[in-house]
Amino acid sequence: MPNQKPSLKRRTFLSAGLAAAAGGAAISCGGGGTGEGWRFFTAEEARTVDAICERIIPADRDPGAHAAGVVNYIDIQLAKRFKKHQAAYRKGVAGVDAVSRARFGKRFAELPPDQQTQALTEVGAKSGAFFNLVLNHAMQGFYGDPRHGGNRNMASWRMLGLPLPPVRGRQHYDDPKAG
Amino acid sequence: MALKHVNAVIVGAGAGGGVVAKELSAAGLSVALLERGRWYSAADCRKDDLCNQRTQVLGAKFGPDDERNPRVAVDGKGRETVVVASDGAYSNNAACVGGGTFSYGAMAWRYMEKDFRMRSTYGAVAGSTLEDWPIDYFDLEPYYEKAEWEMGVSGDVSNNIFKAPRRKPLPMPPLPPNREYRILSPAAKRLGLHPFDIPMLRNTVPYNGRRSCMRCRWCVGFACEVNARNGTHNTVIPEALATGNCELRTDCMTREILLDARGRATGVAYFDANGRLQEQTADLAIVCGGAVESARLLLNTKHRLFPNGLGNRYDWVGRNLQSHTYPAAIGLFEQEVYDDLGPGAGIAICDYNHGNPGLAGGAMLANEFIRLPYQFLSAVPAGVPQWGPEHKNFVRNAYRRTISIMGPVQEMPVFDARVQADPKVKDYWGIPVARLSGGKHPHTLEIAGFAAAKAEAWLKEAGAIRTWKRLPGASLSGGQHQAGTCRMGNDPKTSVVNKDCQLHEVDNVYVIDASVHVTNGGFNPALTILANAYRASGNLLKAWKGSKARS
Ligand SMILES: Cc1cc2nc3c(=O)[nH]c(=O)nc-3n(C[C@H](O)[C@H](O)[C@H](O)COP(=O)(O)OP(=O)(O)OC[C@H]3O[C@@H](n4cnc5c(N)ncnc54)[C@H](O)[C@@H]3O)c2cc1C
Ligand code: SF4
């Protein structure tokens, strides 16, 4: 369905990015920002990266990377810790869209899931380093702490059945003798 | 203004340095303790699973910082890369008061008798500098005991029939077993193995005025929120300060050891927290920077008499960098085995440390610390796709149903696994950085394969429906258990310090940390570093004849 209502999806998506940007007010805007709420990505790049992450961790009975805001994690980190990866993303994301256009005539985010998977497999074979970078970052954004901008609503932790909210310890519940 | 002269300047407030500071200051010596990192507190525990000392994808929480402390890593093909602390190839341990002991897992192992006599036990191993220690287990035994009782160790090793003789039991009982323990213990016994409770530098009852462990999810790599884990930062260092004889200076990066015309040490030069170069004069210079940084400091100390670095006449400084090679086996169970009780690791066996046919040594095997979701991803087996629906599904189904068993393989030291001072790259302060090169000995990998198979058999017996192994690669071993770079020995031609940890070349410079380990045992090294620091401090004090400085 994402490709049936692209405009709506885009809007919710951008507002999600903006909300998170407001939440992280201490973080300055990255140089490549477009003023649309992203720190590093252009809106188009963000859409592509969001779609890539969703293929890496797709929604099923539990939320996937899109719902967990994984692209937001990557965008925030590219403006901070991952500055050294900025060039790789700029080039790599363009490369993914180029592969998609060449193979299927559309940008990556506009392809149906099975074609996205095919395009990504091709990217993985052609530019493995970039693919692995996004793969690692997507996993961090999905399974890591929500404080870094991903794992919205602790989506992955709920999926794994980790007691929520994180309790301080266990012994003071289980063992009344504990000092 | 010149700094006040002290009896001893200690570089590094980690495991070794913390103990030395306390022993010397308690004996009345004046001590300046220099630490390049900061002093964190229990309140600095932010449970950040992407930025801690174990998972460093967003930085090494307890130092050093990525910005100012590069290193050069040379890979197996000779390619050089400038790396930062949060990169794997950096071989980071930590940089803060407490050093590695601030955020460690706190396993508190004594090495076994044979661990000090590897060469006599197994003979020469081609391509390895395998050697005996110049001291034996019984030289260290009283100091193991001292470390256990002064700093606080819990556990129960009475069922470990392989343990070296000991006089006293541990001061604290083990934590109650978690679910993994209850599954693994009977399985080990069915296999004829001898499981027991891992000794840990962790309070399980109130001890030393601090409370007991509350079994949280964020142990190894994090600060302990309730201060129940015992490192030098909350035991010996505060005691040293309480004597009034020890001054701790944080954010102070030592550049070199200062030497007089005859080549004796007169103190150290360091950059203080404001980046100003300071000279701290002292009767004794004691290097406790950890295996990589201690070697770097000696190599960066150049003098007419020591053109290749202090203590390095025979080219042994920085050599034999070793750590532990960690093979693992992971088992998937039908039932849930995750119970959210930290620290997670609790049960171990020493059946495979020695006496393994055809192998020079072995490893202790234990269940792994509690796994946070992101960390768990490295346990996903090779057959599962790396991404997509199957990967997600696997993680969802397996997270609460896996047990991981691993062990620190005692490595065969390699002469060419080494730390050098890089000829080109300098850090923020302009000091040549550590350059790391070399790799593992093939026999180390053979032992790792053996240990992984034993771990897998244990999991199978415990009822795992599917098991798989994680085998280490041949790249250089350093990191958290780094050791060996300033070998202790009787022969000045094949070692750096004597058995009192004093440089063969200069009698008022000591190295007291993991650098002096000849071999590194099939166990996590911290308790041995602490015990040896107590021992070396005692011998230093016996030889101490008072200050030679004119005041
Ligand atoms: C996450 C983690 C888990 C671990 N788990 C265990 C475990 O369960 N059991 C175990 O036995 N071991 C464990 N370890 C390893 C253990 O912490 C180390 O073996 C031990 O701390 C090493 O002691 P050391 O004295 O050699 O060096 P360190 O403790 O590293 O101390 C060296 C100190 O010197 C400082 N320094 C270095 N150079 C300079 C300089 N030029 N100027 C000023 N200061 C300097 C450093 O900043 C550092 O603080 C773990 C380590 C980590 C990080
Ligand atoms: S598990 Fe225990 S010792 Fe470890 S951090 Fe938590 S409370 Fe501290």
Side-chain angles (χ1 to χ4, degrees):
Chain A
M1 287 140 292
N3 51 330
Q4 282 171 1
K5 285 186 181 166
S7 55
L8 178 66
K9 185 187 171 215
R10 184 156 183 265
R11 214 172 311 121
T12 34
F13 187 56
L14 287 178
S15 59
L18 282 166
I27 301 148
S28 61
C29 263
T34 56
E36 293 184 71
W38 298 102
R39 293 163 181 77
F40 170 73
F41 291 135
T42 64
E44 281 306 335
E45 284 171 336
R47 251 158 65 79
T48 305
V49 173
D50 181 45
I52 297 172
C53 293
E54 180 66 13
R55 283 284 67 72
I56 290 173
I57 307 158
D60 46 20
R61 64 184 153 97
D62 290 299
H66 168 70
V70 168
V71 63
N72 195 45
Y73 165 82
I74 299 178
D75 184 56
I76 290 174
Q77 300 310 327
L78 281 170
K80 298 202 297 185
R81 276 258 152 215
F82 295 166
K83 280 201 179 108
K84 64 177 173 195
H85 299 311
Q86 287 186 351
Y89 267 88
R90 195 114 282 160
K91 189 161 157 250
V93 174
V96 172
D97 276 329
V99 167
S100 308
R101 277 213 199 80
R103 291 262 294 174
F104 305 109
K106 284 186 189 149
R107 297 184 79 107
F108 184 82
E110 271 125 42
L111 301 178
D114 57 330
Q115 292 185 355
Q116 286 183 334
T117 302
Q118 284 178 49
L120 266 194
T121 309
E122 196 174 319
V123 170
K126 258 191 180 156
S127 27
F130 175 67
F131 182 75
N132 282 333
L133 197 64
V134 186
L135 180 61
N136 287 334
H137 293 167
M139 294 297 172
Q140 291 159 16
F142 188 73
Y143 291 103
D145 196 297
R147 80 183 73 180
H148 298 296
N151 198 4
R152 186 178 295 146
N153 297 324
M154 299 183 264
S156 67
W157 296 355
R158 283 174 204 277
M159 168 178 107
L160 299 176
L162 278 182
L164 296 168
V167 289
R168 278 188 110 222
R170 282 291 298 279
Q171 191 145 308
H172 40 239
Y173 303 113
D174 296 350
D175 176 3
K177 290 193 306 295
Chain B
M1 203 180 73
L3 295 165
K4 197 162 158 270
H5 180 86
V6 293
N7 296 139
V9 60
I10 301 174
V11 180
V19 168
V20 178
K22 184 242 157 185
E23 290 298 284
L24 268 49
S25 59
L29 274 68
S30 57
V31 172
L33 178 57
L34 306 180
E35 169 54 51
R36 65 181 168 153
R38 291 172 43 201
W39 196 350
Y40 296 96
S41 74
D44 283 301
C45 169
R46 294 180 61 247
K47 299 174 183 163
D48 186 338
D49 58 1
L50 299 180
C51 178
N52 54 73
Q53 212 59 14
R54 205 178 207 205
T55 304
Q56 312 191 342
V57 293
L58 295 182
K61 172 71 185 167
F62 303 116
D65 61 72
D66 280 356
E67 291 71 30
R68 297 182 300 177
N69 300 279
R71 281 179 185 164
V72 174
V74 186
D75 72 10
K77 296 195 177 106
R79 282 181 304 228
E80 301 177 7
T81 341
V82 176
V83 289
V84 296
S86 57
D87 292 330
Y90 187 90
S91 262
N92 191 22
N93 186 31
C96 62
V97 174
T101 72
F102 182 79
S103 59
Y104 64 179
M107 289 198 189
W109 295 103
R110 293 181 176 208
Y111 291 175
M112 293 162 69
E113 291 161 271
K114 283 183 178 147
D115 295 331
F116 298 91
R117 296 198 319 266
M118 288 296 283
R119 176 69 178 265
S120 326
T121 306
Y122 296 107
V125 171
S128 171
T129 43
L130 192 68
E131 194 45 87
D132 291 351
W133 290 49
I135 59 170
D136 67 18
Y137 171 79
F138 294 97
D139 292 316
L140 221 44
E141 201 282 334
Y143 302 100
Y144 273 132
E145 183 182 294
K146 191 170 175 175
E148 286 165 351
W149 283 79
E150 283 199 13
M151 295 185 61
V153 174
S154 57
D156 183 359
V157 294
S158 54
N159 289 329
N160 177 14
I161 61 162
F162 303 100
K163 67 177 178 294
R166 52 182 301 138
R167 295 175 305 173
K168 262 182 156 180
L170 295 170
M172 287 180 273
L175 289 167
N178 65 357
R179 202 176 288 166
E180 292 190 359
Y181 185 116
R182 294 197 305 267
I183 294 168
L184 292 173
S185 178
K189 287 180 188 151
R190 286 196 298 275
L191 290 171
L193 304 172
H194 303 83
F196 61 96
D197 296 88
I198 302 175
M200 300 270 202
L201 281 139
R202 174 179 289 104
N203 291 355
T204 53
V205 291
Y207 197 79
N208 275 339
R210 282 176 290 104
R211 61 157 292 174
S212 63
C213 169
M214 63 168 184
R215 315 205 70 173
C216 70
R217 200 185 291 162
W218 301 268
C219 192
V220 56
F222 299 86
C224 176
E225 238 183 311
V226 292
N227 226 349
R229 212 175 47 216
N230 306 317
T232 55
H233 63 287
N234 58 3
T235 55
V236 284
I237 291 173
E239 281 176 56
L241 301 181
T243 64
N245 296 327
C246 175
E247 188 184 326
L248 168 65
R249 295 181 208 143
T250 57
D251 266 317
C252 289
M253 180 68 183
T254 309
R255 182 176 76 178
E256 64 185 317
I257 296 166
L258 299 170
L259 303 163
D260 65 16
R262 291 172 304 135
R264 285 195 94 237
T266 58
V268 304
Y270 70 94
F271 292 96
D272 69 14
N274 298 316
R276 276 191 304 258
L277 189 61
Q278 303 279 6
E279 292 193 358
Q280 174 63 61
T281 63
D283 301 309
L284 304 168
I286 305 177
V287 181
C288 308
V292 173
E293 294 296 320
S294 286
R296 174 188 175 206
L297 182 62
L298 293 181
L299 293 170
N300 277 332
T301 298
K302 297 270 170 66
H303 185 274
R304 179 178 50 84
L305 296 173
F306 313 110
N308 300 320
L310 187 60
N312 197 32
R313 178 163 306 153
Y314 297 102
D315 191 21
W316 277 72
V317 173
R319 299 283 190 174
N320 305 307
L321 176 62
Q322 57 195 293
S323 173
H324 288 114
T325 295
Y326 265 94
I330 297 145
L332 181 66
F333 289 75
E334 203 112 47
Q335 77 277 28
E336 288 207 354
V337 295
Y338 181 88
D339 60 3
D340 206 34
L341 279 179
I347 183 170
I349 54 169
C350 288
D351 295 73
Y352 302 117
N353 277 74
H354 291 286
N356 302 311
L359 300 177
M364 168 277 291
L365 291 177
N367 70 323
E368 163 65 321
F369 286 97
I370 202 164
R371 289 169 297 288
L372 296 166
Y374 178 67
Q375 292 169 342
F376 176 76
L377 301 182
S378 62
V380 175
V384 174
Q386 283 184 294
W387 54 283
E390 281 179 70
H391 183 272
K392 184 182 179 194
N393 205 33
F394 183 87
V395 175
R396 178 171 44 212
N397 289 331
Y399 180 70
R400 299 175 67 92
R401 296 199 291 129
T402 51
I403 298 179
S404 177
I405 293 179
M406 48 174 66
V409 167
Q410 168 142 232
E411 298 184 341
M412 300 293 110
V414 176
F415 196 61
D416 285 334
R418 65 189 296 203
V419 180
Q420 292 167 280
D422 193 82
K424 296 187 296 281
V425 181
K426 298 199 165 59
D427 67 11
Y428 167 83
W429 299 269
I431 311 169
V433 305
R435 174 189 176 87
L436 308 176
S437 59
K440 296 190 187 86
H441 192 280
H443 191 54
T444 301
L445 298 176
E446 240 176 284
I447 302 172
F450 166 86
K454 294 298 179 191
E456 195 170 28
W458 187 2
L459 289 164
K460 285 208 169 97
E461 179 63 32
I465 50 175
R466 179 178 171 191
T467 57
W468 60 97
K469 290 187 268 207
R470 224 169 65 203
L471 294 172
S475 58
L476 183 69
S477 221
Q480 297 174 355
H481 294 184
Q482 56 185 268
T485 54
C486 302
R487 177 175 280 197
M488 187 197 299
N490 294 323
D491 183 353
K493 293 202 173 103
T494 56
S495 58
V496 177
V497 297
N498 64 22
K499 64 178 166 27
D500 292 333
C501 296
Q502 187 177 31
L503 282 192
H504 289 302
E505 286 178 11
V506 181
D507 69 355
N508 68 340
V509 178
Y510 289 74
V511 180
I512 307 181
D513 61 14
S515 313
V516 303
H517 291 195
V518 177
T519 50
N520 212 18
F523 298 100
N524 313 50
L527 194 76
T528 300
I529 300 166
L530 298 166
N532 185 54
Y534 277 111
R535 185 192 66 90
S537 305
N539 290 350
L540 183 158
L541 288 168
K542 269 183 227 149
W544 171 249
K545 300 212 176 59
S547 177
K548 295 207 178 88
R550 282 161 292 158
S551 47

